C-alpha cells in the first residue's frame, strides 16, 4: 500500500503505516516532490524494527478451539493461526522463536532461498529469472498469455515477453498503481492522479499500444457535469463530479461474467463501471478512509479493504429496472489497515492481508465464517494472489510466503521466496502449460508461474507447484 502524504488527525493510521514502512528520513524530500511515500529498500533497519511488533503463536488448524489461553498466543479476536515461524506444538523452546533466529525460521529450511539465477538441479520449483528496467519502483503488474504488463512510478507501462523487454507505452501523468486486462485485450490502468486510462493493442503493428479512452468518458463527463445533483462535496467549498475519482485510484478488479469493472480510491469511494460502454453505474461512499484493495468474488459478492481497518462485503442485487450493490457484512474491523485481498472462487475463500503482517481468511458460500490466520511476515502484507489451492502473500519484509490450502481447510506453508531486496508490492500468477512427450499441451501437476514486483525496481519470475512437499507445518 502506498500512503498519501497529506494527512489529518482523522487519518492517523495511514501516517503510522507509512512511518514504519519508511526507514530513511531523507525520503521525506522525495515524498514532497512526488506526492507519495516511496519506500527506500536500501535504508537502514534501525528505525524500522522499533516500530514493528512481531507476535509469535503456535500453529494450529482451522478447527482448533478458541479456549487456549497460552501466553504465546496473540491477543486477537481470532486465535486460530498457521505460523511458519513456530513448528513445535508440544513444548516451548528455550530460545526465542524469532524470525531472525534460523533455528526456528522457515527461511533456514526453505530450498528456495537466495536463488539469483536459473535453477539447474530442480526445474520444478524456484526462481526462473529477474527482469529489470530502470523505470522506478514496480507498483502493479498483470499477465495475459505470454505477455507481462508492469506499472511503475515513472508513468510507464512496460510489456515483457519471455523475460525480455518487448514494448511499452506511457501515460501523460500519474504513477501506475493498478492494471487489469480484459478478454478482448483492453488494458485498464489506475493512476495516482485519480484517472483510469484505457488502452488497446494494435492489430496492424505488433507491440503497438494506444490509448483509446478513459473513465469516465468525455461524453458522460460533459453530460453529467451540467446537473448540480451529480456533484458531491469533498471538503468545504469544493464539489466534484460523483462519477470521477478525485484522489489516487489504488485498485481495480474485473468481473467479466457480469461485464463490470470495480475501482477503489483514496477518495474513499468505490465505483462500478459497465465494460460494454464505459458507463459509471454506481459511486459508493464505501469506507471512512482510503480504499486500498478491491476484489470481485463468488456469488455476485464484492470485497473491499481500507485503511480504516475494515473488510466489507457487498452484494449485487436487483433494484427497480437495474441492479445496485448493497453492504451485506463487515467481516473485520481492526486498528491495522487492510492492505490486500485475494479470492479463491472455486473453494469460496477470501483472504485478507493487513499492515500487522497477518493474513486472515473466511470461507463458505452461503455464510462466510472466519477460518483462521496465516502468520508468515514480520512486517505489513502488501499484496496477495490466489492460484488454485495456493495463496501467495508478499510483504514489506521483502519475502513471499507460499501457502497451500489442504483438503480439510487447513493451510501449510510450502516455502518462503527470498530474492527481492525491497518490499514486494504486487503479485500475479498464471498456469504453466507444459508439453508432454507427444508435444501436446497439458496442465500436468498444476504448476504456476508467479510474477512479483518490488520497490527494488525489479520483477522476479518464479515457478511453484501445488504438489510440492510441505517445508513448514
Amino acid at each position: 500500500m502506498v500512503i498519501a502524504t497529506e494527512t489529518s488527525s482523522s487519518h492517523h493510521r495511514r501516517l503510522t503505516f507509512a512511518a514504519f514502512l519508511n526507514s530513511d528520513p531523507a525520503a521525506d524530500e522525495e515524498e514532497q516532490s512526488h506526492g507519495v511515500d516511496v519506500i527506500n529498500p536500501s535504508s537502514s533497519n534501525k528505525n524500522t524494527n522499533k516500530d514493528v511488533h512481531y507476535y509469535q503463536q503456535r500453529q494450529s488448524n482451522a478447527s482448533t478451539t478458541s479456549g487456549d489461553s497460552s501466553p504465546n498466543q496473540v491477543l486477537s479476536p481470532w486465535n486460530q493461526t498457521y505460523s511458519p515461524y513456530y513448528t513445535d506444538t508440544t513444548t516451548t523452546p528455550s530460545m526465542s522463536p524469532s524470525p531472525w533466529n534460523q533455528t526456528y525460521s522457515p527461511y533456514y529450511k526453505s530450498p528456495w532461498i537466495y536463488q539469483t539465477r536459473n535453477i539447474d538441479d530442480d526445474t520444478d520449483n524456484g526462481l526462473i529469472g529477474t527482469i529489470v528496467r530502470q523505470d522506478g519502483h514496480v507498483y502493479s503488474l498483470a499477465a495475459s498469455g505470454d505477455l507481462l504488463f508492469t506499472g511503475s512510478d515513472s508513468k510507464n507501462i512496460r510489456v515483457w515477453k519471455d523475460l525480455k523487454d518487448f514494448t511499452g507505452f506511457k501515460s501523460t501523468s500519474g504513477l501506475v498503481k493498478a492494471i487489469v486486462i480484459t478478454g478482448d485485450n483492453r488494458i485498464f490502468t489506475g493512476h495516482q492522479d485519480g484517472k483510469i486510462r484505457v488502452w488497446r493493442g494494435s492489430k496492424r503493428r505488433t507491440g503497438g499500444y494506444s490509448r483509446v479512452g478513459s473513465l469516465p468518458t468525455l461524453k458522460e463527463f460533459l453530460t453529467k457535469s451540467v446537473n448540480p445533483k451529480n456533484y458531491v462535496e469533498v471538503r468545504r467549498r469544493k464539489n466534484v463530479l460523483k462519477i470521477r475519482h478525485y484522489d489516487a485510484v489504488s485498485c481495480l478488479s474485473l468481473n467479466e461474467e457480469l461485464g463490470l469493472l470495480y475501482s477503489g480510491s483514496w477518495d474513499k469511494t468505490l465505483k462500478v463501471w459497465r465494460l460494454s460502454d464505459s458507463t459509471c453505474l454506481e459511486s459508493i461512499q464505501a469506507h471512512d478512509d482510503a480504499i486500498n484493495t478491491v476484489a470481485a468474488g463468488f456469488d455476485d459478492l464484492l470485497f473491499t479493504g481500507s485503511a480504516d481497518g475494515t473488510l466489507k462485503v457487498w452484494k449485487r442485487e436487483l433494484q427497480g429496472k437495474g441492479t445496485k450493490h448493497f453492504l451485506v457484512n463487515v467481516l473485520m474491523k481492526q486498528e491495522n489497515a487492510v492492505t490486500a485481498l485475494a479470492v479463491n472462487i472455486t473453494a469460496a475463500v477470501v483472504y485478507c492481508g493487513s499492515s500487522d503482517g497477518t493474513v486472515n481468511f473466511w470461507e463458505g458460500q452461503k455464510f462466510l465464517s472466519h477460518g483462521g490466520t496465516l502468520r508468515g511476515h514480520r512486517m505489513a502484507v502488501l499484496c496477495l494472489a490466489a492460484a488454485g489451492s495456493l495463496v501467495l502473500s508478499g510483504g514489506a519484509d521483502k519475502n513471499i510466503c507460499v501457502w497451500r490450502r489442504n483438503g480439510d481447510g487447513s493451510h501449510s506453508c510450502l516455502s518462503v521466496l527470498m530474492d527481492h531486496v525491497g518490499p514486494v508490492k504486487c503479485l500475479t500468477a498464471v498456469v504453466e502449460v507444459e508439453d508432454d512427450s507427444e508435444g501436446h499441451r497439458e496442465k500436468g501437476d498444476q504448476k504456476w508461474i508467479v510474477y512479483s514486483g518490488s520497490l527494488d525496481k525489479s520483477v522476479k519470475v518464479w515457478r511453484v507447484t501445488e504438489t510440492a512437499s510441505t517445508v513448514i507445518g
Side-chain angles (χ1 to χ4, degrees):
M1 183 183 72
V2 182
I3 308 301
T5 55
E6 287 189 0
T7 59
S8 64
S9 59
S10 62
H11 299 292
H12 63 279
R13 294 192 190 99
R14 285 194 284 165
L15 181 59
T16 302
F17 184 35
F20 84 81
L21 283 181
N22 289 275
S23 55
D24 188 357
D28 292 339
E29 297 179 3
E30 187 173 359
E31 293 169 8
Q32 295 175 0
S33 60
H34 291 280
V36 297
D37 286 348
V38 175
I39 302 174
N40 188 347
S42 62
S43 59
S44 170
N45 290 329
K46 65 180 181 179
N47 294 328
T48 303
N49 294 338
K50 67 181 181 180
D51 291 325
V52 178
H53 300 282
Y54 179 78
Y55 298 98
Q56 300 294 340
Q57 184 172 359
R58 292 184 297 176
Q59 176 181 356
S60 65
N61 291 335
S63 59
T64 303
T65 61
S66 59
D68 190 354
S69 59
S70 169
N72 289 328
Q73 290 186 332
V74 179
L75 296 177
S76 168
W78 308 289
N79 66 344
Q80 299 169 0
T81 65
Y82 306 87
S83 174
Y85 299 120
Y86 194 90
T87 59
D88 186 357
T89 60
T90 59
T91 61
T92 302
S94 58
M95 297 179 64
S96 173
S98 167
W100 294 278
N101 183 340
Q102 290 188 344
T103 305
Y104 301 98
S105 173
Y107 313 134
Y108 181 72
K109 297 181 181 180
S110 173
W112 297 356
I113 64 172
Y114 301 121
Q115 294 168 346
T116 57
R117 57 184 175 84
N118 291 357
I119 301 172
D120 298 325
D121 56 343
D122 184 1
T123 58
D124 291 334
N125 300 301
L127 181 66
I128 296 175
T130 301
I131 51 181
V132 180
R133 183 180 175 90
Q134 295 302 318
D135 276 348
H137 303 299
V138 180
Y139 283 93
S140 56
L141 49 78
S144 176
D146 58 353
L147 299 179
L148 176 69
F149 297 77
T150 61
S152 70
D153 54 8
S154 68
K155 309 171 189 176
N156 290 333
I157 297 96
R158 303 301 312 175
V159 186
W160 309 82
K161 185 175 183 179
D162 299 327
L163 301 183
K164 296 180 181 178
D165 194 355
F166 179 60
T167 185
F169 46 99
K170 186 173 184 177
S171 63
T172 55
S173 63
L175 176 154
V176 186
K177 298 182 67 63
I179 305 174
V180 293
I181 305 172
T182 63
D184 60 359
N185 200 32
R186 279 184 294 171
I187 301 120
F188 293 85
T189 55
H191 296 258
Q192 178 78 23
D193 61 6
K195 294 182 180 180
I196 302 172
R197 295 175 171 88
V198 190
W199 315 80
R200 190 186 291 274
S202 173
K203 296 181 179 180
R204 298 180 179 179
R205 183 167 58 92
T206 303
Y209 290 86
S210 59
R211 179 178 167 183
V212 294
S214 60
L215 302 181
T217 62
L218 179 61
K219 179 181 178 180
E220 185 180 18
F221 179 81
L222 294 176
T223 302
K224 295 291 181 66
S225 62
V226 297
N227 189 345
K229 294 182 179 180
N230 293 324
Y231 288 82
V232 60
E233 185 177 6
V234 295
R235 51 180 170 264
R236 188 178 181 184
R237 296 182 180 179
K238 181 171 183 179
N239 297 329
V240 297
L241 202 59
K242 286 191 295 185
I243 63 172
R244 185 176 184 178
H245 287 297
Y246 66 89
D247 205 341
V249 177
S250 55
C251 48
L252 297 170
S253 182
L254 282 170
N255 187 331
E256 291 200 76
E257 183 178 347
L258 300 177
L260 300 176
L261 171 70
Y262 300 98
S263 61
S265 170
W266 288 356
D267 64 13
K268 311 174 191 177
T269 68
L270 166 71
K271 300 193 190 301
V272 184
W273 310 85
R274 188 164 55 209
L275 290 174
S276 60
D277 58 4
S278 300
T279 299
C280 182
L281 300 178
E282 295 180 67
S283 180
I284 306 168
Q285 190 71 26
H287 288 271
D288 297 328
D289 208 334
I291 297 177
N292 294 322
T293 177
V294 60
F298 41 86
D299 194 27
D300 287 351
L301 295 179
L302 179 70
F303 303 93
T304 57
S306 167
D308 63 12
T310 61
L311 167 59
K312 294 186 177 182
V313 186
W314 309 82
K315 187 171 179 62
R316 181 174 176 264
E317 298 178 352
L318 290 173
Q319 186 185 55
K321 296 181 180 180
T323 59
K324 187 176 180 180
H325 288 78
F326 294 91
L327 177 66
V328 295
N329 201 354
V330 178
L331 294 180
M332 182 168 62
K333 188 174 183 179
Q334 61 178 14
E335 287 296 319
N336 299 296
V338 175
T339 53
L341 290 172
V343 178
N344 182 333
I345 294 181
T346 303
V349 183
V350 56
Y351 297 90
C352 170
S354 301
S355 61
D356 61 357
T358 62
V359 178
N360 285 279
F361 65 94
W362 290 260
E363 51 195 356
Q365 287 186 329
K366 294 185 178 180
F367 178 76
L368 285 167
S369 60
H370 187 258
T373 305
L374 311 180
R375 299 183 183 276
H377 294 276
R378 302 186 299 268
M379 299 174 68
V381 174
L382 301 180
C383 52
L384 291 169
S389 64
L390 302 179
V391 60
L392 302 101
S393 57
D397 57 4
K398 311 172 188 177
N399 303 325
I400 303 167
C401 290
V402 182
W403 304 86
R404 181 178 62 209
R405 176 179 167 82
N406 303 315
D408 60 356
S410 64
H411 287 69
S412 302
C413 183
L414 299 185
S415 188
V416 180
L417 310 180
M418 302 172 63
D419 206 70
H420 281 293
V421 295
V424 181
K425 191 65 180 67
C426 46
L427 286 167
T428 193
V430 295
V431 174
E432 180 183 37
V433 184
E434 297 180 321
D435 290 331
D436 60 18
S437 58
E438 297 180 356
H440 301 297
R441 306 291 281 181
E442 61 181 8
K443 291 185 178 180
D445 62 350
Q446 201 65 74
K447 296 176 184 176
W448 297 85
I449 298 298
V450 177
Y451 300 96
S452 59
S454 170
L455 302 192
D456 62 9
K457 303 182 180 181
S458 75
V459 174
K460 303 284 183 183
V461 187
W462 315 82
R463 178 185 290 111
V464 297
T465 176
E466 296 182 26
T467 59
S469 59
T470 302
V471 176
I472 305 298

